């Protein structure tokens, strides 16, 4: 596995991480603790050390499953990123809550669920600019950084074009940006990525397989069950994406190469991107995701190399 420095932090993260929204039960499957233990155990065997979750992936359910694994592993071996700003009510139903007092309660609930006394990266979760611009929120969070409960702050921007929040990252003490980036969604390349590079911010690319559409497993006409968040996607947009994927597979993916492996490496070859955080439902998908690191060179500006 290859590793990169997460922006200006002292953290070295695997270029392939594990996104864990699926553990919250909104991707057509529920997970038992034993399944999560096997998935994360395999990730560790592959050299993966980055986990990304959120308070609203099943009302701390994803965090609880990760915490169950961390309780029987070495916490210090992992970079754990979670998020704040939402209350989960039921599948696909959340409300925004970004008041400083409530966010501190969310932090305590996340620490309890994760069975840890600190979060490596605590991320503002896709909130609007109006609540982002609340200095009291960042003052409260900075106090938690000083107390050691948060190692670093981050911003998970809701829009791929949100330069307002991205450009303010250094001012509010954030070290990393999380953004949707994949071969089908390239908007961050125009403004967000240049700002991240100028500020030396880490970049976590979420949805790098475009919700699985870039996996090569789905053809035009594919449908998804009611328990899968993709059934809520606009059908016409999904059809357009899947037709575009067919064209990409035919014209850009080398013959004989797994498309998902290609798509993850495609994201990682951009000089602004530190790591990708694809989801995975089983150990085989962990292996397939990890294999994308084989396609990378060591000349990325954030590449981490051991001291000689």
């Amino acid at each position: 596995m290859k590793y990169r420095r997460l922006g200006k932090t002292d953290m070295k993260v695997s270029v392939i991480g594990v996104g864990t929204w699926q553990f919250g039960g909104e991707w057509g499957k529920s997970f038992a603790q034993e399944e999560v233990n096997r998935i994360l155990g395999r990730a560790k065997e592959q050299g993966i050390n980055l986990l990304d979750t959120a308070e609203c992936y099943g009302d701390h359910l994803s965090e609880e499953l990760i915490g169950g694994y961390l309780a029987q592993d070495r916490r210090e071996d992992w970079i754990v990123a979670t998020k704040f700003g939402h209350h989960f009510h039921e599948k696909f139903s959340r409300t925004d809550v970004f008041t400083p007092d409530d966010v501190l309660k969310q932090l305590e609930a996340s620490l309890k669920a994760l069975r840890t006394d600190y979060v490596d990266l605590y991320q503002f979760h896709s909130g609007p600019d109006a609540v982002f611009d609340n200095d009291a929120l960042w003052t409260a969070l900075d106090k938690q950084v000083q107390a050691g409960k948060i190692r670093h702050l981050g911003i998970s921007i809701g829009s791929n074009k949100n330069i307002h929040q991205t450009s303010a990252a250094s001012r509010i003490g954030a070290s990393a940006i999380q953004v949707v980036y994949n071969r089908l969604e390239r908007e961050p390349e125009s403004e967000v990525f240049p700002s991240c590079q100028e500020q030396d911010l880490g970049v976590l690319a979420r949805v790098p397989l475009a919700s699985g559409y870039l996996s090569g497993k789905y053809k035009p006409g594919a449908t998804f069950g009611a328990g899968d968040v993709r059934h809520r996607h606009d059908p016409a947009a999904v059809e357009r994406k899947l037709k575009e994927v067919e064209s990409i597979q035919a014209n850009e993916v080398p013959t004989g190469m797994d498309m998902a492996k290609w798509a993850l490496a495609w994201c990682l070859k951009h000089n602004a991107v530190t790591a990708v955080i694809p989801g995975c439902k089983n150990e085989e998908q962990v292996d397939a995701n990890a294999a994308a690191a084989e396609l990378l060179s060591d000349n990325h500006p954030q590449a981490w190399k051991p001291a000689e």
Side-chain angles (χ1 to χ4, degrees), residues 31-52:
F31 289 82
Q33 185 67 63
E34 294 76 14
E35 292 177 283
V36 171
N37 290 352
R38 289 196 299 270
I39 289 169
L40 299 186
R42 178 63 64 84
K44 187 170 186 177
E45 291 172 3
Q46 290 285 3
I48 293 172
N49 72 348
L50 173 62
L51 302 176
D52 181 79

Side-chain angles (χ1 to χ4, degrees), residues 138-191:
W138 300 107
T139 297
L141 288 171
D142 181 65
K143 290 179 180 178
Q144 300 307 304
V145 173
Q146 300 305 316
K149 292 185 177 182
I150 299 170
R151 293 285 173 87
H152 301 281
L153 293 170
I155 307 166
S156 182
I157 57 177
S159 164
N160 290 344
K161 299 178 181 180
N162 194 323
I163 192 61
H164 175 80
Q165 293 180 18
T166 302
S167 63
S170 295
R171 177 178 60 79
I172 56 93
S175 303
I177 297 292
Q178 185 179 138
V179 64
V180 172
Y181 182 60
N182 57 62
R183 175 59 185 79
L184 297 177
E185 298 168 278
R186 303 179 62 173
E187 297 93 340
E189 294 175 353
S190 62
E191 290 188 286

Side-chain angles (χ1 to χ4, degrees), residues 2-5 15 297-306:
K2 295 183 183 295
Y3 300 88
R4 292 173 181 171
R5 177 178 53 84
V15 296
S297 67
D298 292 320
N299 60 2
H300 189 281
Q302 292 177 322
W304 179 87
K305 300 180 180 66

Side-chain angles (χ1 to χ4, degrees), residues 195-213:
S195 179
C196 290
Q197 290 174 302
E198 181 181 348
Q199 297 178 75
D200 192 17
L201 302 176
V203 172
L204 303 183
R206 71 178 183 270
V207 203
L209 296 177
S211 300
Y213 302 138

Side-chain angles (χ1 to χ4, degrees), residues 286-301:
V286 173
D287 292 340
N289 292 343
E294 300 167 2
L295 302 180
L296 304 179
S297 67
D298 292 320
N299 60 2
H300 189 281

